[in-house]
Amino acid sequence: MRPIHVRLLPLDAASAFRVSAPAALVPVEHFAGTALSEHRFSFYGETHRLDASIDWEANPGTWHWGHDLNRFGFLLLYDLDPSQGTAETLLRLIEDWLDKNGCQPRPLSAHAWQNLLNVAIRIENWWRFLSSATQRGHCDASTDRFQRIAQGVAAQTIALLRMIRARGFDDNWSLIGLRAAFYILCSISVFPKRSTLTALTLNYLRTALSRQILPDGVQQELSPHYHWVALELIVSIRQLAREAHVPNAPWLDATIEKMMAFLQAVMSPSGAIVALGDSDAEYGGRIAEFLDQHVDTERAPSSNASEPDIALFPYAGLACVRHRSTRSLLVFDGGPYGTGHQHEDALSFWLSAFGEDLVVDPGRYLYEKGPDTYYAHLRSTSAHSTIMIDGAGQCAETGRDQWRRSTGGEPNVAIDGADVRLSASYGQGYGPSGIAVRHSRGIVLRENGLSLLIRDELTGEGPHDVEQNWLIAPGPWTLAGRSFRARRGKAIVEISCSEIDQLSCRVAEGERKPYRGWYSPRLNVVLPAPTLIVGGRLTLPVVIETVIRVSPCSDPSDEFAS
């Protein structure tokens, strides 16, 4: 990488902090357990104590831990203890990083310099902390110490823009980097060539949005959680632009409006976010606050409360059907794999009713590496409410040319009287060998979202071991023959399994070796959850019919009140 030549003029507080700091990308609770005075650092529940002299390139933990250390998220702890002592400890850690890593990129620096996210999140956290500490009188902008840190931030900002251009604009890393760079450029009024670099950053942003945001407004990774991450970044860039008096960009407003519509559509009546792909359902509260702040009015519902509100996203391949009268929501995934943070989950769905999440997606837990991990299982077909063939899951990940749609497609949605009919298919094969079986799923949604008739048609040749899975949110359950019942808060869900003789039913809950029956509502939390498995050897083609009904539970203390 070419040397960086940037020299800031001397700064004071007025010229250094011209705009408000955007919200931190990772909230402070993920650093609980950190003890700065002991050099004990904790990220997402994983804690390690470092030597008195920190080696910023060493990593004593899982692969992600060393990256988190270099992102300086622990600076947020200052807001929990805004004292002179805490500020001094944190300033010394920043100075130590500069002493050992300098202001020029190093090619063999895996954690400090060669990871775009680490650079972006680090400079944003440094500048946010300096702004807060200066306002509280715990840091003096006129000192050499402050000027040195500011110079380091400026050099990393230039490095970051070069890294974004070199890496490309096709995933949320570019958005994270662009928000960080834009924040620094808008904050420091004396940044060299500030107007040129600000315009360049916005031009990069427009390129990134044209590549990442589908025509229906969904971010191409197809994870509601990461859609929100992208949207929050884009909205904060717009706010920074307004504070810095950067001319308004109509293309930015139009993109935000479409993205907001999708985010509203995948908010569960329970308050959770529908956790497709790598998502955390319990982030719903934070996302709801975001929507309250940035959406003036709710999307107009149907005029009749008994009629469904249907939102179809044909490029993402998602259909959302909401019934206000029963506080129900069905989100059916009939789309492509997505470009990142995705799971092998085609034709699965999320079902909520009476304000309770019932049929769910498994979440992500932690970004562990290796095949024998919770994360590997939670991404697999066996963790989702869909079909497996011969013990193998879907293999959409191998078809990179089909990860994203260039035109709209399934699911198909039709209104038939009081019923809503949905259908989609998956035909990319199963397992490493691409077992040639096509799965088509039709859903008839009745009784204001409380009754589902599911028709799974499998086409192919000869006998195969077929396994149909239903992942249910954690809670008490019973299985009697082919009838499964589970309670979740104020709702009871009943699944009547197919009557095909060759199929049998069992429930897996919290199993290991192999993993089956797990659900992760948020990072670093994984819970046993009942997975109803309906399996047997069938000769194709075959049709499997399943009925799911939801009823209210008037007395939640009664385990299975009728």
Side-chain angles (χ1 to χ4, degrees), residues 253-266:
D253 293 336
T255 299
I256 289 172
E257 183 178 358
K258 290 194 297 182
M259 294 183 73
M260 288 285 188
F262 173 71
L263 194 59
Q264 288 179 287
V266 291

Side-chain angles (χ1 to χ4, degrees), residues 485-487 490-494 549-553 560-562:
R485 301 182 79 212
R487 194 196 78 224
K490 299 179 181 179
I492 291 177
V493 59
E494 180 175 354
R549 294 186 178 89
V550 184
S551 57
C553 180
F560 289 105
S562 60

